[in-house]
């Protein structure tokens, strides 16, 4: 068996059995700091009991990311690989305080599920107000569905303002399992953010941010946090493949009205 990384989550009591059967934030070796292929990720997802994954490699402004053609060509991929539903997406980089991202409208029109995130290689940390504005503008983009790992400590923002807007628009805030393992300084922020999502009725997407296939769909620390906060199952948007597909269609329809 493959053990999870250096950070573990102790379970002091029996936890609520949350249904989380999809993973909307995964990486392949197309982002060269990841280590598995799409096919290996699908095999990992199947082994871990999932129904679907989002293919979400880093947008092209990341130093080791694939070029834009990698994303626009995803339409050639099958809908299911080894029994796993595959959504064609990206982890786009928010590149400025106006919430712009690093994929063109042409490419976005060919993709199904977009996570938008701040990364130190592509976004200069500013003020709380600047980070808040960037998120608010990103949420207005009909092609963006999820704000990725927003608990990152170097990018503080007004939680109430952003999460209320996400709830109003039906967009999702991510609870990122990898944060517990590679960004421990951000865990306290994640707890506050998920509590606000519960307060305002905002959807969350519980994702692995896996950079290796064995960790696709592994959410031990995220599940523990959800249990501690008594988070409602119905606000977990990626609880199964049917829920995700319906949500994406509803957001697409809303953007056309």
């Amino acid at each position: 068996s493959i053990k999870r990384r250096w950070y573990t989550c102790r379970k002091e009591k029996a936890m609520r059995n949350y249904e989380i059967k999809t993973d909307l934030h995964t990486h392949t070796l197309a982002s060269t700091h990841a280590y598995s292929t799409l096919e290996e990720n699908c095999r990992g997802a199947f082994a871990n009991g999932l129904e679907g994954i989002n293919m979400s490699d880093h947008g092209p402004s990341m130093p080791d990311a694939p070029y834009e053609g990698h994303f626009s060509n995803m339409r050639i991929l099958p809908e299911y690989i080894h029994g796993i539903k595959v959504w064609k997406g990206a982890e786009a980089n928010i590149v400025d305080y106006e919430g712009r991202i690093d994929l063109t409208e042409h490419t976005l029109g060919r993709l199904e599920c977009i996570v938008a995130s701040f990364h130190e290689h592509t976004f200069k940390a500013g003020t709380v107000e600047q980070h808040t504005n960037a998120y608010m503008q990103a949420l207005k983009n009909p092609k963006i569905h999820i704000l990725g790992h927003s608990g990152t400590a170097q990018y503080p923002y007004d939680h109430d303002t952003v999460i209320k807007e996400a709830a109003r628009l039906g967009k999702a805030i991510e609870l990122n399992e990898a944060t517990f393992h590679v960004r421990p300084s951000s865990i306290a922020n994640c707890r506050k953010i998920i509590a606000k999502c519960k307060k305002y009725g905002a959807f969350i997407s519980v994702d692995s941010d896996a950079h290796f296939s064995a960790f696709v769909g592994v959410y031990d620390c995220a599940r523990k946090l959800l249990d501690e906060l008594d988070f409602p199952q119905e606000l977990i948007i990626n609880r199964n493949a049917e829920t995700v597909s319906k949500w994406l269609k509803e957001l697409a329809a809303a953007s056309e009205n």
Side-chain angles (χ1 to χ4, degrees):
S1 64
I2 299 174
K3 291 184 178 181
R4 191 57 176 163
R5 287 159 281 185
W6 57 88
Y7 187 94
T8 58
C9 293
R10 296 170 58 187
K11 301 175 183 179
E12 289 83 10
K13 62 183 181 63
M15 295 196 305
R16 180 175 175 179
N17 186 25
Y18 285 98
E19 179 185 31
I20 313 172
K21 292 186 176 180
T22 71
D23 191 340
L24 301 184
H25 188 167
T26 65
H27 292 280
T28 74
L29 49 72
S31 300
T32 59
H33 63 289
Y35 302 95
S36 302
T37 66
L38 172 59
E39 188 171 8
E40 288 167 341
N41 279 356
C42 288
R43 290 186 185 276
F46 184 84
N48 288 332
L50 297 194
E51 298 176 349
I53 64 172
N54 185 34
M55 189 179 178
S56 56
D57 280 302
H58 288 284
S61 65
M62 185 70 79
D64 71 340
Y67 83 116
E68 186 143 353
H70 169 85
F71 300 97
S72 62
N73 194 46
M74 283 184 185
R75 58 184 179 166
I76 70 165
L77 294 169
E79 184 178 2
Y80 289 85
I81 299 175
H82 299 305
I84 296 296
K85 165 73 175 173
V86 178
W87 291 281
K88 288 76 174 178
E91 184 185 12
N93 297 289
I94 300 174
V95 296
D96 60 28
Y97 302 137
E98 298 306 313
R100 284 182 278 262
I101 58 175
D102 58 347
L103 290 169
T104 64
E105 287 298 315
H106 171 76
T107 297
L108 289 169
R110 293 185 171 189
L111 299 178
E112 298 169 297
C113 185
I114 302 297
V115 181
S117 307
F118 294 150
H119 293 104
E120 61 182 350
H121 297 291
T122 60
F123 186 89
K124 182 180 179 181
T127 65
V128 170
E129 292 74 18
Q130 288 170 324
H131 303 156
T132 300
N133 187 66
Y135 276 143
M136 292 292 281
Q137 296 305 314
L139 286 170
K140 291 180 181 178
N141 187 333
K143 300 299 185 182
I144 291 174
H145 306 92
I146 301 166
L147 295 184
H149 50 71
S150 73
T152 304
Q154 70 191 97
Y155 301 117
Y157 66 97
D158 186 322
H159 297 161
D160 294 274
T161 298
V162 172
I163 293 169
K164 282 181 183 179
E165 182 69 357
R168 186 183 73 82
L169 295 171
K171 304 291 182 78
I173 304 295
E174 182 180 69
L175 176 56
N176 184 294
E177 176 71 19
T179 291
F180 295 89
H181 308 283
V182 300
R183 293 180 291 271
S185 63
S186 303
I187 295 172
N189 285 339
C190 292
R191 175 179 291 276
K192 294 174 185 177
I193 289 165
I194 299 307
K196 295 285 187 180
C197 289
K198 177 181 177 180
K199 177 180 178 179
Y200 295 121
F203 291 135
I204 68 167
S205 182
V206 182
D207 300 319
S208 69
D209 196 358
H211 286 60
F212 180 65
S213 59
F215 302 139
V216 174
V218 176
Y219 310 124
D220 292 348
C221 296
R223 287 178 182 277
K224 184 174 184 290
L225 178 59
L226 293 173
D227 186 69
E228 289 171 356
L229 295 175
D230 192 25
F231 195 83
Q233 174 79 59
E234 62 271 17
L235 289 180
I236 302 174
I237 200 60
N238 63 318
R239 53 190 180 271
N240 55 57
E242 181 181 4
T243 300
V244 173
S245 292
K246 181 180 178 183
W247 173 62
L248 293 174
K249 288 178 182 177
E250 288 175 347
L251 287 179
S255 71
E256 295 173 358
N257 296 330

